[in-house]
Amino acid sequence: MCRETDNMEKQTIEYSEKQNAIIQSAEKLFSQTGFDGTSVRDIAQEAGVNVAMISYYFGSKDKLMEAVFEQKTTQMRLKIENLLLNNNITHLEKVNILIDEYVDKFVDQQEFHKIMMREQILERSTPVAALILELKKRNLQSIKKLIQEGQKSGEFKKHIDIMLMMSTLVGTVSQVVVSKRFYCEVNHLQNLTEPEYLKYIRKKLSVHLKNLFKITLTNDI
Amino acid sequence: MCRETDNMEKQTIEYSEKQNAIIQSAEKLFSQTGFDGTSVRDIAQEAGVNVAMISYYFGSKDKLMEAVFEQKTTQMRLKIENLLLNNNITHLEKVNILIDEYVDKFVDQQEFHKIMMREQILERSTPVAALILELKKRNLQSIKKLIQEGQKSGEFKKHIDIMLMMSTLVGTVSQVVVSKRFYCEVNHLQNLTEPEYLKYIRKKLSVHLKNLFKITLTNDI
Amino acid sequence: MCRETDNMEKQTIEYSEKQNAIIQSAEKLFSQTGFDGTSVRDIAQEAGVNVAMISYYFGSKDKLMEAVFEQKTTQMRLKIENLLLNNNITHLEKVNILIDEYVDKFVDQQEFHKIMMREQILERSTPVAALILELKKRNLQSIKKLIQEGQKSGEFKKHIDIMLMMSTLVGTVSQVVVSKRFYCEVNHLQNLTEPEYLKYIRKKLSVHLKNLFKITLTNDI
Amino acid sequence: MCRETDNMEKQTIEYSEKQNAIIQSAEKLFSQTGFDGTSVRDIAQEAGVNVAMISYYFGSKDKLMEAVFEQKTTQMRLKIENLLLNNNITHLEKVNILIDEYVDKFVDQQEFHKIMMREQILERSTPVAALILELKKRNLQSIKKLIQEGQKSGEFKKHIDIMLMMSTLVGTVSQVVVSKRFYCEVNHLQNLTEPEYLKYIRKKLSVHLKNLFKITLTNDI
DNA sequence: CATGAATGAGTGTTCATTCAT
DNA sequence: TATGAATGAACACTCATTCAT
């Protein structure tokens, strides 16, 4: 465990305060207006730094994008891996924790996930696309292991298409997060404040997905 | 009903051959490289027309985007509505047809759906966003009606969150469509041709989602 | 002869008025401040056109440079070749005409020759460098032929290093052209107008070089 | 004469090791890619010093250029002057030594001479241009004196345009040095190593120019 | 004395759009 | 109706230089 933590901190590149401000601004603007729709001037202004600093620190706009992803994906991967590692609970409980983790991740870090979605849509073979693919592969491995252990213990059914279940998990959360305005209008939630809405949606998604997974994975009704 | 149809057909603007070529090219390129990543020159070249034609016909690049959406969303809405209208079958069978319709729609018209996803992610209040919102609202209404009829007939359970189910439906399909490369690599499907892959994924999604909906909507195991 | 002229005109690319204005301005500014020292904005201003026109017409700054060279070098090569082709005079007279041609060429087209000199100094392997090399090779061939014919006829000495003689011809003219200010100050010619100075220097160079070539090529004292 | 020497040595500024490294790197890069084509970062990297050092030590990029010239031109001037001063030989022999000196100077210090040529081409009134002009004037004076003494002694002809002869000397050597690639290709010398080529060209130039000067300056055939 | 961080001005180029024809 | 020519604004990026330390 300690070793893990050490590695984690070693892998994470240390950025200066300004560099972090740039990364954060980039993350925000890329999610709001897309990569091509965001100019380095916008990012610089948002971060309160000179335009030239972006090239100075990150080399290019593309490299900045990579830095944003490098940082985030590393964090995510490690979180999922640690999550599944050391719990003394049933496999279904682990699945439920995983679901809550994904829900929280998408809800809390909407901005980054929007960038990630858009990058996947574009299907271009960039370093960023490679990072996403790698992240998804490793996460799938972790979850596959969890499901297989549950199957061995008899807790889960055989013949589960883990990938489709993951698509349902990730897809449902993405869809709800992205359709915020639609969701609010239809369900008459326009009066909710942002935190209230987030709390509400988090709970809804959690219950919905846990139920979906339970009836899919186990034999219980 | 007749009135509805009439209105609908009135809404559909008639375009010249060149205009249609432009719309089609725009749809393709917007999905491949995004709105900002696509230049009007690219679109003009792809469509085999002069650059100035785009401003000439559609007024601006933004307006062209709207035209693309106007056309597509109208088509989609009509298809869903007609689908649910005249069938002499059980409500679950209607749901299954609906699922297949969504799967086919996303798989066959990936390009347009990618643009739509990206536009939703951006969350900007554009005419295009309004069109998407309107489409989703009307589709939701149609489906709500279907589910409620199924509940009245005792075929479906009470207390179904239709919106979350729709998010699962749309989200899962989107996710799979978008993660094509990931899906292929993990499932060792790299040797499949494009049509083979599409057929495969269509079937997988259809079975998976029908199963999900069945156990969610009905009391049957 | 007619065929030659036809070819010549076929080879020469036809440029629009604006394109020619750009080429001319580029030639001037490149010679005055160098390629790197000249911005496309400077060229555009000098030519009285929009900055974007340069990329629009020539693709890039580099390509503009190539266009300048393409045009000039073609003209030069053809002139030299035609010069040596059809004259009914002695070989020494031909050499003298050649000398005058070089002197005139360098004096009249100082600006372009300055660019050419600088490009040679840089020794970079650009398309422009290739054009210069090609021009020099073809000119050398023409002159070699002339000298060899003179040697066959007994008019010229054997064992003449044509290349060194050409270096002396070109080098001397270049040197004088480039050292204008030095030349004027030392010879107290500051009061001469530009045309007066050019006339003066042309005569001086012509006599000097013809003398040098005569005593080098022939056996006469 | 002593005073002269004293002044000269006073003029020579003493530079630190780092400063010399910068000057040397600047000389190299300016010759290879031109003044505008060379960035201070390139120079700093080549010299292994911090970028800011250049402004710190020399004030600006322009001032660095001046420093490069100040150093070199002083060295050159002194060499020529000393050369002509103390020899107990004929005037023609002195001229021959002078020719070899120029040939060696241009061949050995090609890089610096390329910068000098380029600066002359630009014709701008910079401190650097003034330094070059001053150098050329003083060298011309020295040589004028030599020729005039030769004329007095009857060794040389009357009516010699020293300046044109100097232009031929400097121009020919420059031309050959600059046209290295052309020279090698045409004379099939591509297989020669760099030192072999330099040796070859030095000899060629020496013989060619000494011959040219002999027949020009003296009455001998 | 020395330097990493930072900057504003400037680079070449591309953009969506307009306009004369 | 249709378009080649043209444009100003914006783009990502590099520059020589400055400054706090």
Side-chain angles (χ1 to χ4, degrees), chain A residues 2-221:
Chain A
C2 268
R3 219 166 37 76
E4 279 289 315
T5 316
D6 284 344
N7 280 344
M8 216 181 301
E9 301 200 345
K10 263 181 200 165
Q11 283 170 9
T12 311
I13 303 156
E14 290 284 323
Y15 289 119
S16 74
E17 206 176 318
K18 288 213 172 184
Q19 281 171 309
N20 273 321
I22 293 170
I23 289 183
Q24 219 166 316
S25 301
E27 191 189 325
K28 181 180 165 190
L29 293 174
F30 285 158
S31 86
Q32 283 175 0
T33 43
F35 180 79
D36 293 310
T38 305
S39 77
V40 290
R41 270 168 188 77
D42 297 335
I43 298 169
Q45 194 176 19
E46 174 81 24
V49 302
N50 186 282
V51 213
M53 292 273 41
I54 285 163
S55 293
Y56 179 69
Y57 275 136
F58 299 95
S60 70
K61 192 186 173 188
D62 286 273
K63 290 273 169 51
L64 169 58
M65 179 75 145
E66 287 178 46
V68 171
F69 269 80
E70 192 74 53
Q71 204 185 46
K72 286 279 173 182
T73 53
T74 305
Q75 288 170 14
M76 284 184 184
R77 186 170 47 74
L78 294 171
K79 202 163 184 188
I80 297 288
E81 282 169 5
N82 287 324
L83 190 75
L84 300 177
L85 209 59
N86 321 285
N87 293 322
N88 203 5
I89 48 177
T90 69
H91 293 103
L92 185 61
E93 279 167 339
K94 276 193 185 176
V95 168
N96 286 341
I97 290 174
L98 191 80
I99 289 169
D100 280 334
E101 181 58 32
Y102 265 92
V103 170
D104 289 351
K105 198 178 69 174
F106 273 77
V107 170
D108 293 339
Q109 307 199 36
Q110 287 177 46
E111 301 201 334
F112 176 68
H113 277 94
K114 283 172 190 165
I115 314 176
M116 215 163 92
M117 286 186 233
R118 204 172 9 245
E119 273 305 304
Q120 287 178 267
I121 293 169
L122 286 185
E123 283 184 6
R124 41 186 175 193
S125 293
T126 58
V128 163
L131 280 170
I132 296 175
L133 193 59
E134 187 58 27
L135 172 67
K136 293 179 84 173
K137 276 186 187 172
R138 293 188 67 154
N139 284 347
L140 185 68
Q141 283 312 318
S142 305
I143 293 154
K144 218 170 208 165
K145 215 178 128 204
L146 166 62
I147 303 294
Q148 284 168 345
E149 284 170 3
Q151 288 174 323
K152 270 187 205 156
S153 74
E155 204 177 337
F156 294 159
K157 282 194 282 197
K158 304 269 170 209
H159 311 302
I160 294 162
D161 191 324
I162 301 165
M163 189 136 193
L164 276 179
M165 284 312 296
M166 287 308 296
S167 297
T168 292
L169 170 53
V170 171
T172 303
V173 184
S174 303
Q175 199 56 31
V176 170
V177 164
V178 150
S179 311
K180 185 188 159 187
R181 201 175 142 208
F182 173 51
Y183 202 94
C184 285
E185 280 197 25
V186 171
N187 291 309
H188 312 293
L189 304 170
Q190 294 101 325
N191 296 327
L192 263 56
T193 63
E194 180 71 10
E196 282 170 350
Y197 170 73
L198 292 182
K199 195 183 163 193
Y200 173 86
I201 212 66
R202 218 191 291 263
K203 184 67 189 165
K204 275 275 184 190
L205 277 168
S206 176
V207 170
H208 173 68
L209 288 164
K210 282 175 186 167
N211 187 39
L212 234 43
F213 269 75
K214 191 185 168 201
I215 55 182
T216 309
L217 295 177
T218 70
N219 292 303
D220 311 337
I221 306 172

Side-chain angles (χ1 to χ4, degrees), chain C residues 31-48:
Chain C
S31 86
Q32 283 175 0
T33 43
F35 180 79
D36 293 310
T38 305
S39 78
V40 289
R41 274 171 185 76
D42 296 336
I43 298 168
Q45 194 175 20
E46 175 80 25

Side-chain angles (χ1 to χ4, degrees), chain C residues 7-158:
Chain C
N7 281 345
M8 215 181 301
E9 301 198 346
K10 264 182 200 164
Q11 284 170 9
T12 310
I13 302 157
E14 289 284 323
Y15 289 119
S16 74
E17 208 175 315
K18 288 214 171 180
Q19 282 172 309
N20 273 321
I22 293 170
I23 289 182
Q24 220 166 316
S25 302
E27 191 189 325
K28 182 181 165 191
L29 293 174
F30 285 158
S31 86
Q32 283 175 0
T33 43
F35 180 79
D36 293 310
T38 305
S39 78
V40 289
R41 274 171 185 76
D42 296 336
I43 298 168
Q45 194 175 20
E46 175 80 25
V49 301
N50 186 281
V51 213
M53 292 272 40
I54 286 164
S55 293
Y56 179 69
Y57 275 136
F58 299 95
S60 70
K61 192 186 176 188
D62 287 272
K63 289 273 169 51
L64 169 58
M65 179 75 144
E66 286 178 47
V68 172
F69 269 80
E70 192 74 52
Q71 204 185 46
K72 286 280 173 183
T73 53
T74 305
Q75 288 170 12
M76 284 184 184
R77 186 170 47 74
L78 294 171
K79 203 163 184 188
I80 297 288
E81 283 169 6
N82 287 324
L83 191 75
L84 300 177
L85 208 59
N86 320 284
N87 294 321
N88 203 6
I89 48 177
T90 70
H91 294 102
L92 184 60
E93 281 168 336
K94 277 193 186 178
V95 168
N96 286 341
I97 290 175
L98 191 78
I99 289 168
D100 280 334
E101 182 58 30
Y102 266 91
V103 170
D104 290 350
K105 199 178 65 173
F106 272 77
V107 170
D108 293 339
Q109 307 199 36
Q110 287 178 45
E111 302 200 333
F112 176 69
H113 276 94
K114 282 173 191 165
I115 314 176
M116 215 163 93
M117 286 185 232
R118 203 171 12 243
E119 273 304 304
Q120 287 178 266
I121 293 169
L122 287 185
E123 282 184 9
R124 43 186 171 191
S125 293
T126 57
V128 163
L131 281 170
I132 297 175
L133 193 60
E134 186 58 26
L135 173 67
K136 293 178 84 171
K137 276 185 187 172
R138 293 188 68 154
N139 284 348
L140 185 68
Q141 282 311 317
S142 304
I143 294 155
K144 216 169 209 167
K145 215 177 128 203
L146 167 61
I147 303 294
Q148 284 168 346
E149 285 171 3
Q151 288 174 322
K152 271 185 203 156
S153 75
E155 205 176 337
F156 294 159
K157 283 193 283 197
K158 305 269 170 210

Side-chain angles (χ1 to χ4, degrees), chain D residues 140 143-144 147-148 160-167:
Chain D
L140 186 69
I143 294 154
K144 217 170 208 166
I147 302 294
Q148 283 168 348
I160 293 163
D161 191 325
I162 301 165
M163 188 134 194
L164 276 179
M165 283 313 294
M166 286 308 296
S167 297

